[in-house]
């Protein structure tokens, strides 16, 4: 039972037991992340960072395959199918749905059986928000595996750095749940990187992503906490696509005194 899907120079293979990421040449990955600093300020451009991003992609895909057995997967799949009737995007280990539908469902699949990554400093699962919109856009636009991996690096780095800046203990004390709050920023960053956004458009995408930041620990103990994650992926996708249309958004969503993320969700951030 092997399913394969080519994406540029990278091919994803999965079976009932293993999932491997195979590339014609992974040397470009190390070289690419050596230049990541020029694209994303503060990115950790190193061989270790490159290896971590490949590992994150593998983990996310493997978790998504397992996620088809999640208890609530059929309900999210029904929602994803209802969002639109097109079929331009692949569902990991499944059929095809619309761009938004596949992003939502893939986000849920990655976290459905709760085996995915956790960023310990913010208690946030990061790959469910970042990987699905990046996969959807890379597939739609026929981009390379290299493009996909650098977009994932941008999204993962953006999510975690914004989360660290929040001052997590203060953020958590107010009841907020990280994935739905900081996830949209990372999703927007990944899509923006794939679409070649300039700084102004990316700033608009962050403003629009932040305007959808939501999710609290009131949902703890229910599958809604998983919905926070897949909705974060969809929110970031919508934010980036709307920013690409030059939709006006604030450039100070993190730091605005009145309603900024750091002031409203925490105590001003770090």
């Amino acid at each position: 039972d092997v399913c394969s899907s080519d994406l540029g120079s990278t091919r994803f293979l999965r079976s009932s037991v293993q999932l491997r990421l195979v590339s014609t040449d992974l040397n470009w990955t190390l070289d690419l992340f050596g230049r990541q600093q020029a694209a994303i300020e503060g990115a950790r451009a190193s061989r270790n960072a490159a290896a971590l991003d490949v590992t994150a992609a593998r983990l996310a895909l493997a978790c998504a395959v397992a996620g088809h057995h999640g208890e609530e997967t059929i309900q999210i799949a029904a929602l994803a199918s209802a969002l639109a009737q097109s079929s331009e995007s692949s569902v990991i280990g499944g059929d095809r749905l619309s761009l938004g539908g596949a992003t939502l469902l893939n986000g849920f699949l990655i976290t459905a059986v709760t085996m995915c990554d956790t960023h310990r400093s913010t208690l946030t699962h990061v790959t469910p928000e970042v990987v699905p919109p990046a996969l959807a856009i890379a597939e739609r636009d026929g981009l390379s595996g290299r493009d996909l991996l650098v977009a994932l690096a941008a999204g993962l780095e953006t999510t975690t750095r914004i989360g660290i800046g929040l001052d997590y203990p203060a953020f958590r004390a107010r009841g907020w749940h990280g994935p739905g709050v900081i996830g949209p920023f990372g999703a927007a960053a990944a899509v923006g990187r794939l679409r070649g956004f300039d700084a102004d458009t990316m700033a608009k995408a962050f403003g629009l992503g932040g305007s959808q930041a939501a999710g609290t620990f009131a949902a703890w103990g229910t599958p809604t906490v998983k919905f926070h994650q897949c909705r974060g992926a969809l929110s970031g996708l919508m934010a980036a696509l709307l920013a690409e249309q030059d939709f006006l958004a604030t450039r100070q969503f993190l730091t605005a005194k009145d309603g900024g993320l750091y002031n409203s969700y925490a105590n001003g951030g770090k």
Side-chain angles (χ1 to χ4, degrees):
D1 178 25
V2 176
C3 172
S4 67
S5 176
D6 283 339
L7 188 59
S9 62
T10 304
R11 175 175 297 162
F12 295 109
L13 301 176
R14 64 101 175 157
S15 68
S16 57
V17 179
Q18 290 182 312
L19 184 141
R20 299 184 295 133
L21 175 66
V22 180
S23 172
T24 55
D25 185 3
L26 284 179
N27 289 331
W28 50 258
T29 306
L30 304 180
D31 174 67
L32 186 64
F33 282 91
R35 293 180 281 110
Q36 178 65 9
Q37 183 75 27
I40 303 296
E41 183 177 357
R44 291 187 293 270
S46 67
R47 290 175 180 264
N48 287 338
L52 286 172
D53 288 309
V54 172
T55 300
R58 288 172 171 169
L59 174 64
L61 292 169
C63 288
V65 171
H68 283 275
H69 300 284
E71 292 183 13
E72 304 84 20
T73 295
I74 190 170
Q75 295 163 299
I76 298 296
L79 171 62
S81 296
L83 289 177
Q85 298 303 308
S86 58
S87 57
E88 66 268 33
S89 299
S90 296
V91 174
I92 300 169
D95 295 320
R96 303 182 67 82
L97 288 172
S98 66
L99 192 71
T103 295
L104 183 75
L105 181 53
N106 283 334
F108 189 84
L109 287 172
I110 292 171
T111 191
V113 293
T114 320
M115 296 193 304
C116 58
D117 66 285
T118 301
H119 181 244
R120 293 294 180 185
S121 297
T122 57
L123 293 180
T124 295
H125 299 294
V126 181
T127 54
E129 299 95 82
V130 174
V131 173
L135 282 174
I137 293 296
E139 179 184 28
R140 186 197 69 176
D141 294 355
L143 301 177
S144 69
R146 179 188 307 189
D147 294 328
L148 175 60
L149 285 178
V150 75
L152 294 179
L156 297 172
E157 193 77 17
T158 298
T159 305
T160 54
R161 287 185 179 271
I162 288 177
I164 291 170
L166 266 172
D167 186 2
Y168 182 77
F171 173 81
R172 175 64 185 90
R174 296 189 180 199
W176 293 109
H177 183 225
V181 174
I182 61 177
F185 293 99
V191 174
R193 181 64 179 84
L194 289 166
R195 296 296 298 159
F197 284 6
D198 58 21
D200 184 63
T201 307
M202 189 71 85
K204 291 174 181 175
F206 289 156
L208 290 164
S211 293
Q212 302 172 75
T216 72
F217 270 89
W220 193 252
T222 76
T224 302
V225 294
K226 301 174 185 178
F227 177 72
H228 292 170
Q229 297 165 55
C230 65
R231 195 271 310 157
L234 182 60
S235 292
L237 174 68
M238 292 192 298
L241 295 179
L242 187 54
E244 194 168 24
Q245 300 305 313
D246 203 27
F247 193 90
L248 186 62
T250 179
R251 296 175 63 93
Q252 287 84 38
F253 192 87
L254 295 179
T255 58
K257 291 183 179 180
D258 186 8
L261 187 78
Y262 288 171
N263 287 317
S264 298
Y265 291 62
N267 293 324
K270 290 184 177 180

